[in-house]
Amino acid sequence: MNTQSGPTPSQTIGPFFKFGTEWLADEHLVSEDFEGAISLTGGVYDGAGNPVPDAMLEIWQADENGNFPPDTLEPWTGFARRLTDANGEYAIRSVKPGAVASASGELQAPHIAMVVFARGLLKPVFTRVYFDDENEANASDPLLNALEDSNARSSLLAMGDGHRAYRFDIRLQDSFRGLETQFFAFEN
Amino acid sequence: MASATILAKPEHEEDPPYHHGSYQSTALRGPNKTPLILRPGRTENHGAVFGESRIRQNDDDLTRQHPGDPLGEKIVVSGRLLGSDGRPIRNQLIEIWQANASGRYAHSLDDHPAPLDPNFTGGGRTLTDSEGRYRFVTIKPAAYPWGNHPNAWRPAHIHFSLFGRVFTQRLITQMYFPGDPLIDDDPIANSIRDKRVLARLISAFDWELTIPGTALGYRWDIILGGSNPTPEA
Ligand SMILES: [Fe+3]
């Protein structure tokens, strides 16, 4: 028997979660010598442009072939967690995921799902990380193409340096410049 | 804007809003743009599986993580983790963290002048069993003051981090205790507009969960909304 009548609602992660969550924040998705390893780094910023040093973010993604468990060749959780540092920054070593199908079966450009929690967020923000050097795939991606606002589209692109290092910043709020990251909620 | 990917459907109303005036920190951190409703693709419809390899002995008994006994009232917190379809979420990770019996967190930035307890850290984790059940032994956390407004106090609570079958079910929330008079004036709890929905965060005292002579028991079941995909063929 359960005592509840509907979905459990969200509450903020608060400021003091480190001792409860950092145990899972130490793993990279691939080893340093993995061929095709990328680094994904970035910062989390608030509406005043200040870094958010007490955020926790997670990425969830396919492997380099676009597969998820149990179809991956190597053991693969597709999951990594980071707590932002004193400068609001995070860094994860991963791979660029292979293309995966959308809900309606269209092929999507490579992307990573990301969720961010922080003090002051009563519920998390969900977004997607695409790659700015995937011009062709991005041009036919159903989600990117559905975004009418060009700032919203570019907020989803991780910027590559040409050497497999990508930067993806999360702007929780940026109303003056209109650069707020495009966030998503999901169909229930 | 409606397409095969982005839906025109409004966000569901049960979760708190991003902006809640009486909780000051939402002002600069809550997004101003309304999130677009996305039909989950395969990436959002995959689940993370953690397994037992990183769960250690006593991770689910916060009173046994140090050489001595912690101060405070020992309690059992137990319940089930379910999808909104009523099916149990099996072998999935649940993480908790909380203040000690004086209302102090084992965190370097917590400056509440209540004592730390050398025998209590306040972090725990476990995996649900084959029926979605979980069980923690811990200490009842105390209320603590915070800087949100004059004489602001958080009701006693335990933070919970939950994973469902898929990414879209990811949830972090707080469990409260029955009869706590601070709940009614707490901006965080009351960011949930519907009192019946807020009631889902309040655990129930349960004699069956007590350990006679040792610990009182609180039952709290968790239902993860989000999508409940049928397993892929
Ligand atoms: Fe707290």
Side-chain angles (χ1 to χ4, degrees):
Chain A
M1 197 200 78
N2 77 74
T3 55
Q4 304 294 350
S5 54
T8 307
S10 176
Q11 295 273 268
T12 181
I13 191 172
F16 301 139
F17 50 82
K18 183 176 178 186
F19 63 92
T21 64
E22 70 177 343
W23 71 284
L24 199 54
D26 60 352
E27 287 181 354
H28 294 277
L29 280 166
V30 294
S31 62
E32 222 165 332
D33 52 12
F34 188 89
E35 200 188 317
I38 63 166
S39 76
L40 181 66
T41 61
V44 182
Y45 300 93
D46 72 10
N50 292 319
V52 175
D54 51 0
M56 180 171 99
L57 62 87
E58 292 169 356
I59 60 167
W60 297 49
Q61 66 165 94
D63 71 4
E64 71 273 26
N65 301 312
N67 290 327
F68 298 96
D71 304 324
T72 55
L73 295 174
E74 304 288 326
W76 178 259
T77 62
F79 171 91
R81 168 187 289 176
R82 288 294 181 273
L83 278 52
T84 54
D85 66 16
N87 300 314
E89 297 276 318
Y90 72 92
I92 305 171
R93 187 171 57 245
S94 188
V95 287
K96 193 187 275 186
V100 302
S102 73
S104 49
E106 298 157 281
L107 210 56
Q108 305 172 97
H111 65 274
I112 292 172
M114 180 181 278
V115 58
V116 183
F117 302 90
R119 171 178 64 81
L121 283 179
L122 285 161
K123 56 186 171 183
V125 290
F126 295 94
T127 190
R128 277 189 179 183
V129 182
Y130 285 87
F131 299 89
D132 73 334
D133 52 10
E134 290 283 335
N135 282 330
E136 204 175 314
N138 289 344
S140 60
D141 182 83
L143 171 59
L144 290 177
N145 283 335
L147 297 174
E148 286 159 4
D149 171 8
S150 67
N151 281 342
R153 186 182 193 278
S154 52
S155 77
L156 302 184
L157 298 178
M159 310 304 280
D161 70 348
H163 301 281
R164 298 187 171 279
Y166 295 87
R167 184 166 178 94
F168 184 81
D169 291 332
I170 300 103
R171 301 184 189 282
L172 296 176
Q173 195 189 95
D174 195 322
S175 294
F176 295 112
R177 295 181 299 171
L179 299 180
E180 185 173 309
T181 301
Q182 180 64 58
F183 298 115
F184 301 100
F186 299 101
E187 182 189 26
N188 261 328
Chain B
M1 172 175 19
S3 73
T5 299
I6 293 180
L7 305 165
K9 200 166 155 244
E11 208 179 339
H12 79 113
E13 296 282 311
E14 298 196 334
D15 274 327
Y18 283 122
H19 287 280
H20 183 64
S22 61
Y23 176 23
Q24 309 284 346
S25 299
T26 63
L28 279 175
R29 291 186 168 190
N32 286 334
K33 292 194 292 183
T34 308
L36 295 171
I37 311 296
L38 177 63
R39 181 168 290 163
R42 282 205 69 198
T43 302
E44 288 87 9
N45 269 338
H46 105 269
V49 177
F50 298 100
E52 284 173 33
S53 64
R54 297 204 55 188
I55 307 285
R56 298 162 308 180
Q57 197 184 9
N58 293 334
D59 275 354
D60 61 355
D61 187 341
L62 288 68
T63 69
R64 288 194 184 173
Q65 296 176 351
H66 297 275
D69 291 329
L71 293 167
E73 181 188 338
K74 199 169 184 171
I75 60 171
V76 172
V77 178
S78 181
R80 293 180 77 197
L81 179 66
L82 304 167
S84 55
D85 54 4
R87 289 190 296 147
I89 294 171
R90 304 184 167 96
N91 307 315
Q92 188 52 289
L93 176 67
I94 298 185
E95 303 166 278
I96 64 170
W97 64 96
Q98 62 167 91
N100 69 19
S102 306
R104 177 84 183 265
Y105 282 103
H107 189 288
S108 59
L109 297 178
D110 185 0
D111 57 5
H112 177 32
L116 285 165
D117 184 341
N119 290 312
F120 191 75
T121 303
R125 61 201 75 116
T126 192
L127 296 177
T128 58
D129 71 10
S130 61
E131 293 177 310
R133 260 182 256 286
Y134 72 91
R135 181 178 181 273
F136 289 102
V137 178
T138 184
I139 290 294
K140 190 169 182 192
Y144 57 81
W146 60 312
N148 188 69
H149 58 270
N151 204 19
W153 288 77
R154 294 296 328 282
H157 59 274
I158 298 178
H159 296 264
F160 271 73
S161 159
L162 306 148
F163 294 83
R165 299 185 189 99
V166 295
F167 174 74
T168 60
Q169 292 181 297
R170 185 78 176 91
L171 177 72
I172 287 181
T173 189
Q174 302 180 23
M175 185 205 87
Y176 301 103
F177 291 88
D180 189 332
L182 294 172
I183 294 173
D184 281 348
D185 293 305
D186 179 47
I188 292 178
N190 289 284
S191 65
I192 298 163
R193 288 151 289 192
D194 185 336
K195 294 276 183 227
R196 291 166 304 180
V197 176
L198 170 57
R200 297 175 195 160
L201 295 182
I202 304 172
S203 57
F205 175 71
D206 190 335
W207 281 109
E208 283 187 22
L209 293 174
T210 58
I211 306 171
T214 299
L216 295 180
Y218 293 89
R219 178 175 304 279
W220 190 54
D221 293 334
I222 303 147
I223 298 180
L224 298 182
S227 56
N228 286 280
T230 46
E232 283 182 52

